[in-house]
């Protein structure tokens, strides 16, 4: 297996109109993911291939208004079947 530090660390930064995607500090093309926005919902689709087809995913989310933090979802493990 690989060490945790060698695994992909995908970060998606969403703004009101666009988004950017990073693997650790390296910018990735926006085409590697799909973002669907609705008035009360945002769906993000990430191909498992860019995550090296994991068995589980460690994820969290934070929301901001400008520089002011509004909400934090603590780290969760998602098991993939």
């Amino acid at each position: 297996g690989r060490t945790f530090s060698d695994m992909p660390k995908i970060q998606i930064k969403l703004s009101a109109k666009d988004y950017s995607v990073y693997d650790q500090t390296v910018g990735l093309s926006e085409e590697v993911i799909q973002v669907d926005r609705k008035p009360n919902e945002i769906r993000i689709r990430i191909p498992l291939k860019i995550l090296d087809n994991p068995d589980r995913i460690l994820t969290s989310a934070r929301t901001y208004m400008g520089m002011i933090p509004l909400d934090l979802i603590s780290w969760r493990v998602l098991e993939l079947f």
Side-chain angles (χ1 to χ4, degrees), residues 4-48:
F4 183 75
S5 62
D6 291 334
M7 294 177 185
K9 313 284 186 307
I10 304 300
Q11 180 180 34
I12 303 164
K13 294 184 177 184
L14 299 163
S15 67
K17 296 182 181 180
D18 60 1
Y19 61 93
S20 52
V21 184
Y22 300 88
D23 184 354
Q24 299 194 30
T25 59
V26 178
L28 301 177
S29 168
E30 290 179 2
E31 288 80 38
V32 300
I33 68 166
Q34 181 181 350
V35 176
D36 297 318
R37 297 173 189 250
K38 295 181 181 176
N40 295 317
E41 178 179 88
I42 298 174
R43 288 186 184 212
I44 300 170
R45 296 171 190 230
I46 304 171
L48 294 178

Side-chain angles (χ1 to χ4, degrees), residues 48 51-58 77-81:
L48 294 178
L51 302 175
D52 291 337
N53 298 306
D55 295 326
R56 57 187 70 83
I57 296 172
L58 182 62
V77 176
L78 304 176
E79 298 219 19
L80 306 176
F81 298 96

